[in-house]
Amino acid sequence: MLKLQPASLRFRQIEEKDHDLLVQWITGDTWPHHLFENPTEDDVRKWISKGKYDEPDYRAFFAFLADESQSNAVVNTPVAYTRLEELTDLTPVFDLRIRSDFRGKGLGRAVLNWLTRYVFTQTDKLRFEGHTRADNIGMQKVFRSCNWVQEAYYRQAWPDKSGGTHDAVAFAILKSDWENGTRTPIKWDPSNE
């Protein structure tokens, strides 16, 4: 199994000149556990036209794999995409998509660690949050391995295109925990103090 090191990845912020690549990349794969599992070109172009990639509220990145056999030359096709959302709010959240042929190889952990470092060093945020469907066990493992703490469980809160709903979970990390390599436990029942 391919094990990815953070140094194997190169990140580039998505700009207007990348919109056609973004459309091609997102529509070229299937995204289980997302509301739009098979987004169309029209879907992605609507997201772009609605400003879903524009600052100050959003910031999106492609992750490229460096080819170490060629002096770390960057492979031209992105292996992952991530987008920061709600950057003007107190707590930003994110979207993360990994190309299907790279899932299960440690890429999620590398991208989330990079994104967390980015949020806590390039913004003034003190807290960073992420959500996933409760049946997305792989993403929950990624959160836990990156020192994030599960803070909530939402019943029937994640819609799908067929009109159904799924349970969802929320994880977060505090800047102080990230800086200190700690994990502050949740006080689920304040009466037990």
Side-chain angles (χ1 to χ4, degrees):
M1 172 170 124
L2 172 68
K3 288 195 174 192
L4 297 171
Q5 302 298 321
S8 301
L9 293 175
R10 304 291 182 267
F11 292 86
R12 188 183 83 215
Q13 188 167 346
I14 296 173
E15 300 174 359
E16 187 174 342
K17 66 181 175 66
D18 298 313
H19 286 176
D20 288 338
L21 174 60
L22 179 66
V23 170
Q24 177 188 25
W25 195 84
I26 290 180
T27 60
D29 212 330
T30 299
W31 309 105
H33 305 110
H34 284 77
L35 174 59
F36 291 87
E37 287 191 22
N38 297 291
T40 66
E41 181 175 338
D42 285 344
D43 291 330
V44 181
R45 293 211 182 272
K46 275 185 207 170
W47 301 338
I48 291 169
S49 70
K50 290 181 177 180
K52 298 290 185 182
Y53 300 91
D54 299 335
E55 293 191 43
D57 215 27
Y58 299 93
R59 203 170 297 159
F61 302 88
F62 279 130
F64 296 87
L65 191 58
D67 183 350
E68 295 178 12
S69 68
Q70 297 182 12
S71 301
N72 286 326
V74 174
V75 176
N76 289 331
T77 303
V79 294
Y81 146 94
T82 189
R83 181 181 66 184
L84 290 167
E85 304 172 2
E86 302 175 16
L87 279 167
T88 56
D89 291 350
L90 183 63
T91 303
V93 296
F94 69 95
D95 181 22
L96 171 61
R97 296 170 193 255
I98 298 170
R99 217 171 69 193
S100 57
D101 50 338
F102 283 90
R103 293 178 195 149
K105 299 181 180 187
L107 192 58
R109 182 179 5 212
V111 173
L112 185 56
N113 280 329
W114 179 87
L115 195 58
T116 303
R117 182 174 55 254
Y118 182 90
V119 166
F120 291 143
T121 62
Q122 302 300 312
T123 76
D124 62 351
K125 305 305 178 188
L126 301 177
R127 175 184 155 76
F128 188 25
E129 190 172 315
H131 306 111
T132 192
R133 283 183 11 187
D135 61 343
N136 190 348
I137 303 304
M139 189 62 203
Q140 291 180 59
K141 287 179 180 179
V142 167
F143 279 125
R144 289 185 180 98
S145 72
C146 293
N147 226 20
W148 288 52
V149 175
Q150 184 176 340
E151 293 185 343
Y153 191 98
Y154 303 107
R155 296 173 297 158
Q156 298 180 5
W158 194 292
D160 63 29
K161 290 297 281 182
S162 68
T165 57
H166 304 268
D167 291 356
V169 291
F171 286 79
I173 189 167
L174 304 175
K175 184 175 183 177
S176 57
D177 279 350
W178 174 78
E179 290 173 327
N180 298 314
T182 58
R183 186 181 303 195
T184 304
I186 300 295
K187 295 180 182 178
W188 289 109
D189 184 355
S191 65
N192 287 336
E193 292 182 352

